[in-house]
């Protein structure tokens, strides 16, 4: 069969049914030949991964406790394994490491097939937009995989930490090439190369649904986050500037209007992810249960973002802006008899395989990059460079739309607030957590300013999986706690400190069996 013959429509179903015997590349049976830039563009729709790690990473993070009540149970063994930081053996659910690995490497395969076709085409010059999109999608898929399966990037350790295979050529015989993981430093360099080259070639890109593709704005937002994680703060600011433009206030989310939309059904979540919202830069529709499990339904209530976390650390606790639940523009949803506290950001819809039989696949749409989150990236990068007044200005700009009462912070007010807040302990939780980074933070202004940025971002991005990256990047110690119905901590059952091997989630067993080096565990508990 022609090497340029690729599937478009059946990729999504193939992800859920792919054999564990395959290694990196996943090849479906129904294929479509690539002959033109239009064909390549259509196929690149499948270069955006059919999976997202939010459910896995929210379970893994400090946004989740074990809720001890007879009627509350785990949704599945996967949910429990993720919460307990175990090496996950479940493979069939949509958000498992196996499925995330398959989804993202399938996206990489699509990119490589398109780039291979273009390299052999006589009219290469006509494909500049498709080359750019393919490289950006490949970089994004590998960045997402790195955020799940690798340690956080740090210059002092990246040359030793394990990276991931970065295929750049299609395989004639999938599963027969023995890959090496390389280092995290090498992985980041290859992501950066694709990201840089993709950005440079986007000038002619045109899309019928631009919010679901890498536009120039989306590519710059991706670059801003990448360079923040890569600790290249000046570049993070440069790309955040390009994302936000000269008047970012006009593109931030209208949180006040959104917070007034209806809470029933998918009304508020659909309003959050609308492509017409200027704040939404890149959207991604994926198969996931998380849109339903994250809200106050009974399923999956044993491991949840419960009242204790909500009232002492996140949605309902105090910040330097005041009482979050009263001051900020959202409504916390909760039902009596259910352990979950949430805000409505993720729609939950079924794509039916058999409507008569009621058989379907649950889907949600994620806001992958937004102007609000990019503004917080810029604020953090400025704070880390010692540009405190500029970081404060960005923080206040976000609060100008995210708060109900026109809150405006000062550096002194932030310092005073966090001086009055003790560092978190699992038995006496607060939103202030010890930050362990190299070099150490300046204590008087920088540390409290970053506490405010991290606290606000934790709220802004709740349910989206990004909190886990902040935990890894800042060496925040997190705990497993069992909490009773009176919100009393019954037991602290585990903790994960900076550089704990389990911060790099274990790669799937099938690729370990194919002789890819597993993540080290060094005697840490895995079950």
């Amino acid at each position: 069969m022609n090497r340029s013959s690729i599937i478009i429509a059946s990729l999504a179903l193939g992800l859920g049914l792919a054999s564990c015997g395959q290694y990196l590349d996943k090849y479906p049976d129904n294929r479509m030949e690539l002959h033109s830039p239009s064909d390549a563009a259509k196929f690149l729709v499948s270069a955006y991964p059919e999976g997202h790690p939010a459910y896995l990473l929210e379970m893994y993070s400090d946004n989740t406790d074990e809720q001890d009540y007879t009627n509350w149970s785990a949704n599945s063994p996967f949910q429990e394994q993720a919460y307990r930081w175990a090496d996950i053996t479940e493979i069939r659910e949509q958000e498992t490491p196996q499925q995330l690995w398959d989804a993202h490497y399938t996206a990489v395969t699509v990119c490589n097939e398109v780039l291979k076709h273009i390299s052999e085409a006589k009219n290469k010059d006509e494909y500049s937009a498709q080359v750019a999109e393919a490289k950006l999608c490949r970089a994004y898929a590998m960045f997402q995989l790195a955020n799940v399966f690798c340690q956080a990037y740090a210059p002092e350790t990246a040359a030793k930490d394990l990276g991931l295979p970065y295929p750049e050529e299609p395989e004639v015989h999938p599963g027969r090439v023995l890959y090496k993981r390389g280092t995290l430093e090498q992985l980041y360099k290859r992501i950066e190369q694709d990201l840089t080259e993709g950005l440079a070639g986007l000038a002619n890109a045109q899309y019928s649904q631009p919010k679901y593709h890498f536009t120039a704005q989306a590519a710059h937002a991706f670059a801003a986050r990448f360079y923040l994680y890569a600790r290249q703060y000046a570049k993070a600011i440069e790309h955040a500037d390009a994302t936000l433009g000269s008047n970012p206030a006009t593109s931030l989310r209208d949180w006040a209007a959104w917070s007034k939309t209806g809470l029933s059904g998918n009304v508020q979540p659909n309003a959050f992810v609308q492509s017409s919202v200027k704040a939404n830069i890149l959207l991604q529709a994926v198969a996931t249960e998380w849109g339903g499990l994250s809200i106050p339904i009974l399923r999956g209530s044993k491991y949840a973002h419960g009242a204790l976390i909500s009232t002492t650390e996140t949605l309902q606790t105090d910040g330097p802006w005041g009482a979050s639940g009263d001051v900020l523009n959202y409504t916390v949803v909760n039902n009596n008899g259910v352990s979950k506290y949430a805000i409505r950001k993720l729609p939950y819809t079924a794509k039916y395989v058999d409507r008569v039989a009621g058989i379907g696949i649950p889907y949600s749409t994620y806001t992958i990059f937004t102007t609000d989150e990019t503004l917080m990236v810029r604020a953090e990068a400025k704070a880390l460079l010692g540009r405190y007044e500029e970081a404060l200005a960005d923080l206040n700009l976000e609060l100008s739309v995210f708060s109900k009462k026109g809150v405006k912070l000062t550096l002194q007010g932030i310092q005073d607030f966090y001086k009055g807040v003790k560092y978190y302990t699992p038995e006496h939780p607060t939103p202030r957590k010890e930050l362990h980074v190299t070099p150490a933070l300046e204590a008087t202004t920088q540390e409290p300013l970053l506490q405010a940025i991290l606290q606000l971002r934790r709220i802004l991005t709740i349910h989206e999986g990004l909190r886990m990256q902040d935990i890894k990047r800042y060496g925040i110690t997190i705990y497993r706690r069992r909490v009773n119905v009176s919100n009393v901590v019954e037991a602290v059952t585990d903790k994960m400190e900076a550089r704990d091997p389990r911060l790099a989630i274990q790669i799937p067993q099938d690729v370990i069996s194919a002789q890819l080096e597993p993540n080290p565990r060094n005697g840490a508990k895995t079950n």
Side-chain angles (χ1 to χ4, degrees):
M1 190 168 284
N2 189 300
R3 282 292 303 137
S4 295
S5 299
I6 315 289
I7 182 64
I8 294 177
S10 67
L11 263 176
L13 291 177
L15 290 177
L17 305 173
S19 166
C20 294
Q22 294 176 319
Y23 181 38
L24 294 181
D25 293 313
K26 306 292 179 184
Y27 289 86
D29 294 327
N30 300 322
R31 305 193 178 196
M32 183 188 82
E33 293 188 4
L34 298 179
H35 293 297
S36 67
S38 177
D39 289 342
K42 290 175 182 176
F43 182 53
L44 282 169
V45 170
S46 299
Y48 296 84
E50 261 285 327
H52 191 280
Y55 178 15
L56 169 63
L57 296 181
E58 288 293 305
M59 288 298 107
Y60 224 76
S61 79
D62 58 354
N63 282 341
T64 302
D65 275 329
E66 178 183 358
Q67 313 293 328
D68 189 16
Y69 185 62
T70 304
N71 291 339
W72 298 340
S73 61
N75 179 60
S76 64
F78 160 65
Q79 186 187 30
E80 181 161 357
Q81 289 174 344
Y83 171 78
R84 295 192 182 283
W85 305 326
D87 288 353
I88 296 167
T89 58
E90 294 296 307
I91 63 173
R92 298 296 295 178
E93 288 190 52
Q94 290 143 338
E95 292 89 353
T96 64
Q98 178 72 62
Q99 296 298 333
L100 292 170
W101 182 277
D102 291 349
H104 288 79
Y105 273 117
T106 296
V108 171
T109 296
V110 170
C111 299
N112 289 340
E113 290 283 3
V114 169
L115 292 170
K116 177 70 171 177
H117 164 74
I118 294 170
S119 72
E120 297 171 349
K122 295 179 180 179
N123 55 337
K124 294 181 182 64
D125 293 345
E126 298 177 19
Y127 285 90
S128 60
Q130 288 75 40
V131 170
E133 186 175 13
K135 289 188 174 182
L136 286 165
C137 287
R138 184 167 67 184
Y140 171 71
M142 294 308 304
F143 183 60
Q144 288 290 85
L145 287 169
N147 290 335
V148 174
F149 296 108
C150 299
Q151 292 282 353
Y153 182 93
E156 63 271 18
T157 59
K160 298 179 182 179
D161 288 336
L162 283 173
L164 292 169
Y166 203 111
E168 294 177 326
E169 293 286 339
E171 289 187 41
V172 176
H173 302 291
R176 299 183 188 178
V177 176
L178 181 61
Y179 287 92
K180 299 293 184 182
R181 290 188 62 170
T183 68
L184 187 59
E185 182 177 70
Q186 291 169 333
L187 176 58
Y188 263 58
K189 284 181 178 178
R190 294 173 87 174
I191 292 171
E192 182 179 21
Q193 181 178 342
D194 270 350
L195 177 54
T196 302
E197 293 175 0
L199 263 168
L202 268 182
N204 298 322
Q206 295 183 352
Y207 309 113
S208 59
Q209 296 187 66
K211 291 294 181 76
Y212 289 87
H213 293 268
F214 270 112
T215 61
Q217 187 186 28
H220 281 295
F222 172 23
R225 188 186 296 172
F226 169 79
Y227 282 116
L228 179 71
Y229 289 12
R231 301 195 183 187
Q232 297 184 50
Y233 304 126
K235 287 186 177 181
I237 294 168
E238 173 190 341
H239 287 285
D241 287 345
T243 304
L244 297 167
S246 59
N247 189 11
T250 61
S251 64
L252 297 176
R253 188 177 302 277
D254 187 344
W255 290 94
W258 169 76
S259 68
K260 294 173 184 174
T261 56
L263 293 171
S264 61
N266 279 317
V267 174
Q268 195 167 80
N270 284 339
F272 194 85
V273 302
Q274 275 185 341
S275 60
S276 59
V277 174
K278 286 185 178 180
N280 294 333
I281 300 173
L282 180 65
L283 300 170
Q284 185 179 343
V286 302
T288 175
E289 288 191 276
W290 184 232
L293 291 174
S294 61
I295 61 175
I297 63 171
L298 187 58
R299 283 181 59 201
S301 289
K302 187 174 181 63
Y303 304 107
H305 179 261
L308 184 60
I309 298 176
S310 185
T311 57
T312 62
E313 300 181 54
T314 57
L315 298 175
Q316 296 165 284
T317 195
D318 290 348
W321 42 81
S324 299
D326 297 329
V327 172
L328 302 181
N329 267 316
Y330 52 76
T331 300
V332 180
V333 293
N334 169 251
N335 289 328
N336 290 333
V338 178
S339 59
K340 302 171 189 176
Y341 286 67
I343 56 178
R344 298 300 314 280
K345 299 163 65 175
L346 302 176
Y348 183 72
T349 56
K351 184 175 286 187
Y352 283 99
V353 177
D354 186 335
R355 186 174 291 274
V356 174
I359 300 171
I361 300 171
Y363 270 75
S364 284
T365 298
Y366 285 97
T367 52
I368 303 301
F369 298 107
T370 67
T371 54
D372 297 79
E373 191 267 337
T374 302
L375 182 62
M376 299 303 292
V377 165
R378 190 171 75 176
E380 182 184 342
K382 288 176 177 178
L384 288 163
L385 289 176
R387 294 161 58 176
Y388 303 143
E389 291 291 347
E390 293 176 61
L392 176 67
D394 282 346
L395 190 59
N396 278 326
L397 181 57
E398 182 58 40
L399 286 169
S400 72
V401 293
F402 197 41
S403 69
K404 300 174 183 177
K405 303 176 182 177
V407 172
K408 191 167 184 178
L409 304 178
T410 65
L411 290 176
Q412 187 62 55
I414 292 172
Q415 293 167 13
D416 291 344
F417 175 79
Y418 287 105
K419 280 180 184 176
V421 178
K422 293 182 179 180
Y423 281 113
Y424 172 101
T425 67
E427 296 85 357
H428 303 285
T430 74
R432 186 184 185 193
K433 302 206 172 183
E434 292 189 34
L435 310 178
H436 302 100
V437 292
T438 303
L441 301 174
E442 185 274 322
T444 302
T445 303
Q446 189 177 52
E447 196 266 355
L449 180 56
L450 283 165
Q451 290 282 356
I453 292 168
L454 292 174
Q455 184 179 348
L456 188 61
R457 179 164 53 222
R458 188 178 180 186
I459 297 170
L460 277 168
T461 64
I462 198 162
H463 312 314
E464 297 176 32
L466 288 176
R467 172 62 179 176
M468 195 62 212
Q469 307 315 319
D470 291 350
I471 289 165
K472 292 164 70 169
R473 293 187 305 117
Y474 280 92
I476 296 171
T477 300
I478 59 175
Y479 298 84
R480 301 291 74 164
R481 305 182 302 182
R482 187 166 62 247
V483 179
N484 67 22
V485 291
S486 300
N487 295 317
V488 174
V489 176
E490 293 180 333
V492 176
T493 57
D494 203 352
K495 73 175 180 178
M496 189 152 55
E497 299 176 310
R499 301 284 301 167
D500 187 302
R502 294 170 296 175
L503 289 166
I505 292 172
Q506 190 58 272
I507 64 176
Q509 183 58 51
D510 73 328
V511 293
I512 296 174
S513 298
Q515 301 182 44
L516 192 66
E517 184 178 358
N519 285 325
R521 284 298 178 255
N522 296 341
K525 292 195 298 183
T526 58
N527 53 50

